[in-house]
Amino acid sequence: MVSDRISVVIAEDSLLVRDSVTRSLSTVPEVEVVGVAEDYDSAAELVASHRPTILMTDVRMPPTSTDEGIRLARWLRTAHPDVGVIVLSNYADPGYAAGLLEGGTAGRGYLLKDRVSHFDELGEAVRQVASGGTVLDPLVVEALLAQPRSAPALSRLTPREREVLGELATGFSNRIVAQRLVLSQRAVEKHINSIFAKLELTVDDGVDRRVKAVLMFLDHRGTG
């Protein structure tokens, strides 16, 4: 259950990006930025003290500028599992995405920094992650779909179904997917049902089926 207020801690070592993210989030009425950090340690301290709804973090920050954002997300799974994470990155890197989503997709997002200037998209991503959803940048989805490990399952899909699948994994509703692909909503629903059937995702999997349909191969990423 999500309250009307969505509190956010921003972890980013670039002043320009921090200001851009803060400015974008200021356009979302229910969002409040409660802290800003420039490195891994200060981000962890802010999360521990504020217990925000979401940590919005860069992938690479001091002290090593390698994968601090992903390590923060992993730490939060055990230390503060109720805190969602949105990773902002310059890279549509499937390895980073796999690390972020390892252990579960709920309350996780991966967006390219170009999205920061799209106020509506960023606001919708924050709302979805705050409510336990998953949001992936379309270019990240494309990179994941291109991975060899996805071939055995996803090769069952038609080109149109793969296109619908890519849109679904970004977090868009059926209505928006229909608009973007110039299809009827009923056609989109038929494609979705076909995708779930071919990938053997049952109703018991719940709403996460949309994301699992793209990421199911990550469950066995160490065996491929």
Side-chain angles (χ1 to χ4, degrees), residues 14 26 28 30 54 60 68 76 79 93 101 119 123 125 127 139 142 154 161 180 187 195 206 216:
S14 166
S26 70
V28 187
E30 65 269 41
I54 291 174
R60 301 177 177 182
E68 277 75 12
L76 285 172
D93 189 314
L101 300 169
F119 295 172
R127 294 186 190 98
L139 291 180
E142 185 177 326
L154 298 178
E161 287 168 349
R180 287 170 60 89
I195 290 167
M216 59 187 298

Side-chain angles (χ1 to χ4, degrees), residues 8-223:
V8 177
V9 165
I10 299 170
E12 167 63 60
D13 62 321
S14 166
L15 176 60
L16 180 61
V17 176
R18 285 201 308 272
D19 287 348
S20 296
V21 173
T22 302
R23 193 161 52 250
S24 293
L25 293 179
S26 70
T27 67
V28 187
E30 65 269 41
V31 171
E32 178 186 3
V33 176
V34 296
V36 177
E38 299 179 21
D39 55 42
Y40 181 99
D41 290 338
S42 56
E45 290 174 4
L46 283 174
V47 169
S49 59
H50 289 286
R51 296 295 295 273
T53 313
I54 291 174
L55 168 67
M56 187 170 288
T57 178
D58 189 9
V59 169
R60 301 177 177 182
M61 294 182 296
T64 68
S65 296
T66 54
D67 64 346
E68 277 75 12
I70 304 304
R71 288 193 284 115
L72 278 168
R74 287 173 176 156
W75 168 69
L76 285 172
R77 285 205 183 277
T78 53
H80 303 288
D82 56 327
V83 177
V85 179
I86 296 177
V87 166
L88 297 175
S89 176
N90 288 317
Y91 315 97
D93 189 314
Y96 287 146
L100 173 68
L101 300 169
E102 184 177 354
T105 61
R108 292 294 182 268
Y110 190 118
L111 299 176
L112 296 187
K113 289 183 179 179
D114 290 346
R115 302 288 167 188
V116 170
S117 61
H118 300 176
F119 295 172
D120 291 344
E121 290 185 21
L122 188 63
E124 183 58 27
V126 167
R127 294 186 190 98
Q128 291 213 37
V129 172
S131 64
T134 309
V135 177
L136 300 176
D137 192 282
L139 291 180
V140 175
V141 174
E142 185 177 326
L144 286 168
L145 287 171
Q147 292 298 287
R149 234 176 255 116
S150 66
L154 298 178
S155 62
R156 305 170 195 164
L157 306 183
T158 67
R160 176 60 95 177
E161 287 168 349
R162 288 173 65 91
E163 192 175 15
V164 171
L165 175 56
E167 294 290 337
L168 287 180
T170 66
F172 291 123
S173 67
N174 291 0
R175 180 179 61 82
I176 299 299
V177 170
Q179 291 175 355
R180 287 170 60 89
L181 297 182
V182 195
L183 295 171
S184 69
Q185 192 164 329
R186 179 165 181 159
V188 169
E189 290 168 356
K190 286 184 176 179
H191 284 307
I192 292 171
N193 289 334
S194 177
I195 290 167
F196 289 164
K198 289 180 179 180
L199 300 184
E200 300 177 357
L201 295 171
T202 67
V203 175
D204 292 339
D205 286 310
V207 295
D208 279 347
R209 287 188 299 170
R210 291 172 176 254
V211 178
K212 285 181 181 179
V214 176
L215 303 175
M216 59 187 298
F217 64 93
L218 292 179
D219 291 338
H220 305 286
R221 49 197 269 267
T223 62

